[in-house]
Amino acid sequence: AFQEGDNVYLTAFPFAGTGGEAVELDKRNGKLPVHRLSMEGGLFPRWRPDGRLEFGSATSYFVHDPNTQLTDTVTLSLTVERDVPAGSMALTGARIITLEGDEVIESGTVVVDGARIACVGECDTGGVDEVIDASGRTIIPGLVDMHSHHYREHRGYRPLRDYELAMYLAYGVTTSLDNSMWSQNIFPTAEMVEAGRMIGPRTYSTGDPLYRGDAARQNDLSSYEEAARNVRRIKSWGAVSAKQYMQPRREQRQWVSDVARDEGLMVTAEGGDLFFNLGMIIDGQTAWEHPLSYIPLFSDVARFFGNAGIVYSPTWVVAGPGPSNVDYWFAESDVWKEEKQRRWMPWRMNAGHLRRRMLRPDTDYSFPMISQGLADIIAEGGYGAIGSHGEHHGPDAHWEVWMAAAALGPLEALRVASLHGAFFLGAEEDLGSIRVGKLADLLVLDANPLDDIRNTAAIRYVVKGGIVYEGDTLDEVWPRERAFGEYYWVDEEALRQDVRGVGGGG
């Protein structure tokens, strides 16, 4: 038994010298006969003592009997409570950049009941359980990072206090779409965050990417049926979007878009050259990532993408015509000396490449022109999104916002960083702006980003789903007072009793 392309296969194997029966080769291709046991996902095949084969995928557990050639399937389910705060909280006296149109409330209140916003502007705080004075500060929606990769340190297991996850929240990213991520890592983590077992952004993903080509070595997209099986496979894990990696044939891209539409998934992709991206959008795709290599964009291109209502995530930090734009930020300041970075980023990940960095003239960098192209598409009716790409966990999301502002200005850059990202996710009714009924995902800043867009990093509090955290430490302020490092969901007294019983010691 073996796993290939996220499915499980079975083949007869000739054991030389054991006296076993000879295996007849497949007459069609002269190879060992191979039987596919799973169609929409199979992982970790393992022989049981009774001679049957077990494997699984997402919520499905399979047991195959090679003698009868029958497979039993069990669907697993588990229900746990979400971590929704009880009670109400108010932030008073703050400037509120709602992103509802161009509305800016110069001095107002946001009341949160449970996880959702109950009042914005002039609000009665009588009867509110907790009132936090935010006078002189500015409230904006949490950042929505739609192209992040932050699961590189731990594969196959998750520490409950994981810096790669938590530091995104500490830097104001309250919602993350982690593209092209191992399904076994990302979806359990997302559920742990929702249950309050881990601290981090509300997390979404495409799951495993749909790589290009026809070979079964990855994801076989050799037919419409195989494309449908692969899309349903990632959906079964919890994917809200499919990411296809530059399928070489147009019909393959059409299959993915068509199936995803039926299954209720968005489609994003690794962007290519101009003509490739035009073709993807014509064929029904909803978004792409990484910058167009053509600058400037002419008006006919901007008008086409805008009228199509696409989402363009330039992922400024990772690419662009010329040097990677992240080098600009590495060179501009001593990032490695920043106290918040030192708190969250392990030394081995922080000091090496940041102490020795490339210096270039500012005019070598393309981000102002990429931002102008995005601004032109938005002016024609399209959307944008930030995507930190895991280039440098934490500040890279802010660098994305600051680069967007080079052409869009502060207010529109904030809109791209929150409301447009929520649209990309398909969650704009719940996220992306400060409005009654939406989830209370907020940043309380010590300074006004409309005066200087870099003030997005001056985070006093991060609010996610009504839970208030200190911006630097992620110590919880409301509704419970507790430090980030406390594993608060464990029955601590029971744990102490168990420890006392080990080796006769305390």
Side-chain angles (χ1 to χ4, degrees):
F2 63 94
Q3 172 193 328
E4 181 64 39
D6 293 317
N7 278 295
V8 170
Y9 299 80
L10 194 65
T11 182
F13 191 80
F15 290 93
T18 62
E21 295 182 6
V23 175
E24 293 187 8
L25 300 181
D26 191 318
K27 294 179 181 178
R28 296 169 298 176
N29 53 29
K31 298 180 180 179
L32 292 172
V34 175
H35 304 284
R36 182 171 172 176
L37 301 185
S38 64
M39 305 303 287
E40 296 181 9
L43 301 169
F44 303 123
R46 175 181 177 273
W47 289 105
R48 290 166 44 148
D50 61 7
R52 294 188 296 169
L53 181 71
E54 63 180 0
F55 54 96
S57 180
T59 59
S60 295
Y61 170 71
F62 306 97
V63 179
H64 176 78
D65 188 332
N67 295 316
T68 64
Q69 298 188 14
L70 298 176
T71 303
D72 293 330
T73 305
V74 176
T75 301
L76 309 175
S77 63
L78 174 67
T79 301
V80 297
E81 292 184 358
R82 266 192 170 86
D83 186 28
V84 177
S88 56
M89 178 272 298
L91 298 162
T92 63
R95 178 183 298 103
I96 306 170
I97 303 173
T98 67
L99 298 186
E100 290 288 314
D102 295 336
E103 179 185 42
V104 178
I105 301 169
E106 287 301 328
S107 181
T109 296
V110 177
V111 176
V112 178
D113 186 10
R116 293 188 178 266
I117 298 169
C119 181
V120 180
E122 296 184 10
C123 305
D124 181 8
T125 59
V128 172
D129 297 314
E130 178 76 7
V131 177
I132 298 174
D133 184 6
S135 299
R137 296 189 167 101
T138 300
I139 301 176
I140 65 172
L143 303 183
V144 181
D145 187 339
M146 287 291 95
H147 187 182
S148 59
H149 300 294
H150 54 261
Y151 290 85
R152 294 171 177 170
E153 195 79 352
H154 305 283
R155 299 285 177 113
Y157 66 96
R158 309 294 300 150
L160 291 177
R161 293 294 178 268
D162 179 8
Y163 85 91
E164 281 193 294
L165 178 70
M167 74 181 301
Y168 276 76
L169 187 64
Y171 275 87
V173 175
T174 53
T175 299
S176 168
L177 179 70
D178 198 311
N179 290 333
S180 307
M181 179 46 58
W182 194 23
S183 294
Q184 300 148 63
N185 254 21
I186 187 71
F187 295 115
T189 300
E191 294 175 359
M192 295 278 276
V193 170
E194 288 297 303
R197 304 293 181 90
M198 296 179 70
I199 294 176
R202 56 182 83 252
T203 300
Y204 302 90
S205 182
T206 63
D208 305 290
L210 305 176
Y211 282 112
R212 62 182 297 172
D214 299 314
R217 61 181 176 80
Q218 287 293 346
N219 313 112
D220 184 4
L221 299 180
S222 57
S223 68
Y224 185 95
E225 291 73 20
E226 286 297 339
R229 288 165 180 158
N230 274 286
V231 172
R232 288 195 293 264
R233 173 179 57 81
I234 61 173
K235 182 182 178 181
S236 72
W237 282 92
V240 297
S241 178
K243 182 162 184 178
Q244 63 93 354
Y245 264 79
M246 305 177 74
Q247 305 306 324
R249 299 203 313 274
R250 187 177 181 188
E251 62 179 350
Q252 293 172 310
R253 304 193 291 272
Q254 292 172 337
W255 296 338
V256 172
S257 294
D258 193 52
V259 174
R261 185 183 298 110
D262 288 344
E263 295 292 337
L265 271 63
M266 306 286 271
V267 180
T268 185
E270 198 79 355
D273 63 25
L274 176 60
F275 297 104
F276 188 87
N277 288 2
L278 286 168
M280 290 192 298
I281 299 306
I282 288 171
D283 289 338
Q285 196 159 290
T286 50
W288 81 85
E289 296 143 0
H290 296 297
L292 287 162
S293 57
Y294 296 86
I295 51 174
L297 287 188
F298 286 3
S299 60
D300 55 346
V301 172
R303 189 174 304 115
F304 172 81
F305 287 136
N307 289 343
I310 58 90
V311 182
Y312 174 24
S313 176
T315 326
W316 289 267
V317 289
V318 76
S324 183
N325 286 305
V326 76
D327 287 351
Y328 174 87
W329 302 101
F330 289 162
E332 190 214 35
S333 64
D334 288 328
V335 179
W336 65 284
K337 291 182 178 179
E338 183 192 340
E339 287 301 317
K340 192 168 183 175
Q341 276 284 292
R342 291 185 172 198
R343 176 185 296 277
W344 288 103
M345 187 76 81
W347 177 254
R348 66 185 184 280
M349 303 289 288
N350 200 24
H353 65 291
L354 293 180
R355 291 186 300 132
R356 300 179 180 90
R357 64 265 197 194
M358 179 70 71
L359 296 178
R360 300 183 179 94
D362 289 354
T363 50
D364 278 14
Y365 293 99
S366 60
F367 65 82
M369 292 174 281
I370 295 172
S371 299
Q372 185 59 58
L374 176 61
D376 293 343
I377 290 173
I378 291 173
E380 296 288 353
Y383 300 85
I386 64 170
S388 63
H389 203 259
E391 291 308 291
H392 192 70
H393 300 320
D396 51 356
H398 294 272
W399 296 338
E400 288 276 296
V401 182
W402 303 348
M403 287 188 282
L408 290 161
L411 183 61
E412 196 63 28
L414 292 176
R415 204 184 321 274
V416 165
S418 295
L419 191 57
H420 285 207
F423 174 80
F424 186 3
L425 186 62
E428 67 271 23
E429 293 304 311
D430 285 314
L431 304 170
S433 67
I434 303 174
R435 188 180 75 197
V436 172
K438 285 197 172 187
L439 287 165
D441 288 6
L442 312 166
L443 303 185
V444 181
L445 307 177
D446 284 333
N448 183 3
L450 299 183
D451 294 336
D452 183 347
I453 193 61
R454 297 195 182 200
N455 289 334
T456 59
I459 299 172
R460 182 68 182 87
Y461 298 113
V462 178
V463 184
K464 195 199 84 175
I467 299 175
V468 184
Y469 301 95
E470 288 279 358
D472 282 345
T473 64
L474 285 190
D475 292 344
E476 187 175 332
V477 175
W478 166 262
R480 301 146 295 205
E481 292 186 9
R482 56 193 177 190
F484 169 78
E486 294 178 2
Y487 291 83
Y488 51 85
W489 59 277
V490 174
D491 185 337
E492 294 182 359
E493 179 57 33
L495 185 60
R496 281 193 292 270
Q497 294 295 330
D498 288 345
V499 170
R500 290 191 189 101
V502 176

